[in-house]
Amino acid sequence: MKTLYFECNMGAAGDMLMSALTELIPEPSAFIEKLNNIGIPNVKIERNTVSKCGISGTEINVFVHGHEEDENMHEHHHREHHTHCHTGIKEVREIINGLDVSDKIKADASAVYDILAAAESHVHGRPVEQIHFHEIGTMDAVVDIVGVCMLMDEIKPDVINTSHIHVGSGQVKCAHGLLPVPAPATAHILQGVPTYGGEIKGELCTPTGAALLKYFTDNFVKVNSMTVEKIGYGTGKRRFYDDDGTEILSAVRAMLGETDA
């Protein structure tokens, strides 16, 4: 069976998953060009090859109105200021439904966003319809989610396995203050999924990354047995170090290959 395996030893974010998957397809540049032309408003996507810890990987950058969002917006899309820039779940669904992609990709992307919105609704104790996302964070998440859905549709694995997910430890800063890691929305999404913390301080798994993995993964496995044919590295933008100051490779590793039925 054609098997896709995500190794999440350093957690997962939407851009890391998308970046790793682009390394598994024949023409990643053509995919980025296509993604730039499906109609996501005010957005430009760039794909770069980067080297971290001596390993070559892919980093995808999203620019909204010409600006790349800051780290906290990327990790937590429910910021409550600048109300004129807010987008509700209804508007997000309208954006997705208006894109030049197949009905299957639209359905997959909407379902992933529903997981994200339901988690925010639960955490904030408000109906889903009252949850609003910052515009830049919204567009960035739409790119990540739709991009991953498009790549999954192109790769068409028979089964998707994911490792136990490293979520990090400590606290993360958001608009409401300091929250524990994993952040409440991430923790809610990952209920029932094998996760672990560790020595690394910081948020390794974001809500968007968690929602994508929860939706697409067939099995969360401690050990994955497969014959690997392709490997992709999707690097994160943050840098992490151990107690000795040695940098730790922040990346999702995606492996494509075959397993016995």
Side-chain angles (χ1 to χ4, degrees):
M1 287 192 299
K2 188 177 185 180
T3 300
L4 176 63
Y5 175 63
F6 289 114
E7 185 182 81
C8 301
N9 294 340
M10 285 296 288
D15 61 327
M16 293 166 72
L17 293 166
M18 178 165 57
S19 297
L21 290 172
T22 63
E23 295 202 343
L24 302 181
I25 61 174
E27 298 182 15
S29 295
F31 164 76
I32 296 298
E33 184 178 354
K34 183 178 180 180
L35 189 58
N36 270 312
N37 288 291
I38 61 172
I40 303 176
N42 307 310
V43 163
K44 185 177 187 299
I45 301 111
E46 294 180 355
R47 176 182 182 271
N48 300 301
T49 299
V50 297
S51 179
K52 291 189 176 180
C53 298
I55 304 298
S56 176
T58 291
E59 181 178 280
I60 289 179
N61 300 306
V62 178
F63 298 87
V64 183
H65 296 294
H67 300 283
E68 190 172 17
E69 66 175 350
D70 68 52
E71 180 181 295
N72 286 327
M73 266 189 237
H74 181 75
E75 309 299 356
H76 298 282
H77 307 300
H78 55 270
R79 300 184 76 125
E80 298 293 343
H81 60 287
H82 303 315
T83 54
H84 66 285
C85 290
H86 278 173
T87 307
I89 187 63
K90 179 183 176 184
E91 289 80 10
V92 172
R93 292 188 184 117
E94 289 174 353
I95 290 169
I96 291 172
N97 287 329
L99 299 178
D100 185 18
V101 295
S102 70
D103 288 344
K104 181 183 184 305
I105 292 170
K106 290 177 185 178
D108 286 340
S110 293
V112 173
Y113 228 108
D114 285 346
I115 292 172
L116 196 58
E120 299 287 5
S121 170
H122 176 83
V123 166
H124 293 294
R126 295 161 60 187
V128 169
E129 291 72 23
Q130 292 181 17
I131 295 298
H132 288 80
F133 307 92
H134 188 281
E135 182 193 14
I136 297 179
T138 299
M139 292 302 100
D140 188 85
V142 168
V143 170
D144 293 345
I145 290 169
V146 173
V148 169
C149 291
M150 290 170 63
L151 288 160
M152 290 293 194
D153 190 61
E154 179 172 347
I155 295 168
K156 289 183 169 59
D158 297 314
V159 64
I160 299 171
N161 293 334
T162 297
S163 70
H164 295 187
I165 301 171
H166 190 177
V167 295
S169 63
Q171 296 174 312
V172 61
K173 186 177 182 180
C174 79
H176 306 289
L178 287 174
L179 300 177
V181 172
T186 304
H188 181 79
I189 293 167
L190 293 179
Q191 288 180 105
V193 173
T195 63
Y196 62 98
E199 297 297 322
I200 297 173
K201 298 291 185 184
E203 182 182 37
L204 301 184
C205 187
T206 69
T208 303
L212 283 162
L213 291 173
K214 185 74 173 281
Y215 179 72
F216 280 109
T217 299
D218 296 304
N219 309 290
F220 290 93
V221 297
K222 195 168 187 178
V223 177
N224 186 67
S225 177
M226 65 185 292
T227 303
V228 177
E229 296 170 357
K230 288 184 179 179
I231 301 175
Y233 289 87
T235 63
K237 295 178 174 63
R238 296 178 63 191
R239 293 183 178 272
F240 296 92
Y241 301 87
D242 67 10
D243 292 338
D244 296 327
T246 302
E247 186 173 2
I248 304 167
L249 178 63
S250 177
V252 167
R253 183 156 61 174
M255 304 181 190
L256 189 63
E258 292 289 331
T259 56
D260 295 332

